[in-house]
């Protein structure tokens, strides 16, 4: 069942002047205007399904709207493999390049790009809270050369799923990265939602993916929750194992993590999020100023369930939840 999300971004403001970049290519012509292909640098934090889907959705959105790869656009794709120092190096390299635009995927990658790249327009995606992360000045008016899309999901609805799956649950264990502002924001929202439902949130913070297994096993709770935290999701198998060992439900922040073994989520379509970001990038390439383009987010979320994962965790998914689901994985 699709859930509506509050819209923090509105339609982008139309500017009359062209946004000037330091490069010399003929941006805005696409593959049909006879100019040189647009050059776009992509900085991705790491290889996890949600971020890969975001990148693929972006490329698809560009291709279906006049910027086919190898014709209307050329990509310089670089992956930090979860290392912040590498993300910083990638951003520095892009800053001294002749790119027309930079696309940053995930909060740490976007933070590095925002700090390093001031002379090239930037779009980001899979960033939960861009203001708290210091990437933009405000949701409705980013204020510099950068804008994009947020992956802030319906955390309150996700926590409510735990109560539906385990009505007697009193405690929720959450594993998250202490160094990622997006994760801290989601944990705060999860705590508020748990309080409203009369439940207690127990936290296990990590500083590296290698710590996820121990953190998940250390939590003495009636259910587990994983937000859209790249470092934790990269080791989601360890959290799944902990939930199966403890025989408690695991609710997650994105549908890819349900496919990987979580029981349920109200999650975003990350490919569509990337596609949405591509449409913003095209507006910038064709003249709009990112400083005046509000940060956008998806307005609907999808209920995704994994029956086999639930069975392995000793959880029975209520029939009414199954009937309402957008996707049920057997």
């Amino acid at each position: 069942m699709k859930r509506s999300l509050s819209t923090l971004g509105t339609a982008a403001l139309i500017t009359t002047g062209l946004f000037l970049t330091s490069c010399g290519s003929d941006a805005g012509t696409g593959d049909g205007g006879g100019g040189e292909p647009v050059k776009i640098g992509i900085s991705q934090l790491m290889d996890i399904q949600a971020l890969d889907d975001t990148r693929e959705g972006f490329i698809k959105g560009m291709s279906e709207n006049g910027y086919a790869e190898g014709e209307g656009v050329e990509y310089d794709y670089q992956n930090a493999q979860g290392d912040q120092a590498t993300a910083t190096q990638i951003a520095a390299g892009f800053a001294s390049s002749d790119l027309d635009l930079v696309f940053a995927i995930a909060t740490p990658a976007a933070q590095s790009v925002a700090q390093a790249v001031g002379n090239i327009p930037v779009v980001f995606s899979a960033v939960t809270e861009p203001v708290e992360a210091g990437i933009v000045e405000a949701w409705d008016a980013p204020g510099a050369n950068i804008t994009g899309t947020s992956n802030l999901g319906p955390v309150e609805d996700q926590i409510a799923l735990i109560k539906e799956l385990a009505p007697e649950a009193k405690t929720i264990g959450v594993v998250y990265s202490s160094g990622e502002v997006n994760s801290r924001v989601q944990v705060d929202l999860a705590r508020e939602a748990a309080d409203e439902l009369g439940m207690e949130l127990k936290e296990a913070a990590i500083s590296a993916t290698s710590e996820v297994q121990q953190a998940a096993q250390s939590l003495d709770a009636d259910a587990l929750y994983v937000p859209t935290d790249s470092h934790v999701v990269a080791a989601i198998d360890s959290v799944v194992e902990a939930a199966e060992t403890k025989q408690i439900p695991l609710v997650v922040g994105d549908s890819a993590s349900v496919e990987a073994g979580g029981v349920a989520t109200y999650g975003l379509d990350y490919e569509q999020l990337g596609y949405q970001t591509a449409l913003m990038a095209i507006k910038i390439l064709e003249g709009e100023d990112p400083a005046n383009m509000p940060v956008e987010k998806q307005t609907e979320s999808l209920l995704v369930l994994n029956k086999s994962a639930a069975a392995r965790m000793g959880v029975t998914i209520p029939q009414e939840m199954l009937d309402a689901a957008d996707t049920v994985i057997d």
Side-chain angles (χ1 to χ4, degrees):
M1 179 176 63
K2 295 181 180 180
R3 292 288 180 95
S4 295
L5 303 176
S6 61
T7 304
L8 298 179
T10 57
L13 301 177
I14 300 176
T15 60
T16 56
L18 294 178
F19 184 88
L20 300 178
T21 70
S22 62
C23 57
S25 61
D26 188 11
T29 61
D31 60 357
E36 292 295 322
V38 167
K39 297 177 182 178
I40 297 178
I42 300 178
S43 175
Q44 182 171 323
L45 179 62
M46 62 172 62
D47 285 315
I48 59 173
Q49 190 63 52
L51 303 188
D52 290 343
D53 288 348
T54 302
R55 184 186 74 251
E56 291 169 6
F58 180 86
I59 293 172
K60 180 180 179 181
M62 296 296 295
S63 179
E64 291 185 355
N65 291 277
Y67 293 81
E69 186 172 4
E71 299 176 12
V73 62
E74 295 177 353
Y75 295 107
D76 180 358
Y77 167 60
Q78 299 191 39
N79 192 309
Q81 300 300 334
D83 183 72
Q84 188 60 52
T86 302
T88 301
Q89 292 173 358
I90 292 170
F94 284 167
S96 60
S97 70
D98 64 345
L99 296 171
D100 295 288
L101 182 134
V102 174
F103 176 39
I105 308 173
T107 299
Q111 287 173 317
S112 293
V113 169
Q115 291 169 5
V117 180
N119 59 329
I120 302 169
V122 176
V123 291
F124 59 79
S125 192
V127 170
T128 302
E129 226 305 345
V131 176
E132 292 290 332
I135 296 169
V136 299
E137 294 178 6
W139 281 79
D140 58 348
N145 63 318
I146 184 169
T147 188
T149 60
S150 167
N151 66 336
L152 179 60
V155 175
E156 181 178 355
D157 291 339
Q158 292 165 359
I159 296 300
L161 287 173
I162 293 174
K163 201 66 173 176
E164 295 183 58
L165 292 166
E168 302 303 317
K170 298 297 184 184
T171 56
I172 304 170
V174 57
V175 183
Y176 72 101
S177 298
S178 58
E180 288 200 24
V181 65
N182 61 303
S183 299
R184 296 197 300 272
V185 166
Q186 290 176 89
V187 169
D188 289 344
L189 292 171
R191 187 183 304 106
E192 293 174 7
D195 287 344
E196 289 291 327
L197 294 172
M199 295 188 288
E200 176 189 359
L201 197 72
K202 296 185 174 183
E203 302 173 18
I206 65 155
S207 58
T209 297
S210 59
E211 300 172 4
V212 171
Q213 182 176 26
Q214 181 178 353
Q217 293 290 349
S218 72
L219 286 164
D220 181 14
D222 301 320
L224 292 177
Y225 174 65
V226 170
T228 54
D229 181 312
S230 298
H231 290 284
V232 179
V233 171
I236 192 67
D237 289 351
S238 295
V239 189
V240 171
E241 180 183 0
E244 292 177 355
T245 300
K246 298 170 184 289
Q247 290 290 279
I248 57 176
L250 168 61
V251 171
V252 293
D254 67 277
S255 56
S257 294
V258 177
E259 295 175 14
V263 172
T265 193
Y266 276 110
L268 309 182
D269 183 331
Y270 276 81
E271 182 176 332
Q272 184 58 39
L273 191 68
Y275 195 106
Q276 183 176 349
T277 314
L279 299 183
M280 298 182 74
I282 290 171
K283 290 180 180 179
I284 293 169
L285 291 169
E286 296 182 353
E288 292 201 30
D289 185 345
N292 300 323
M293 294 175 64
V295 175
E296 298 181 5
K297 66 194 295 281
Q298 287 186 13
T299 58
E300 293 181 332
S301 59
L302 304 177
L303 176 57
V304 183
L305 306 173
N306 188 325
K307 289 176 65 177
S308 59
R312 290 192 296 272
M313 295 171 194
V315 175
T316 300
I317 301 176
Q319 187 59 49
E320 57 267 29
M321 187 183 293
L322 291 167
D323 292 341
D326 296 281
T327 302
V328 177
I329 301 168
D330 292 325

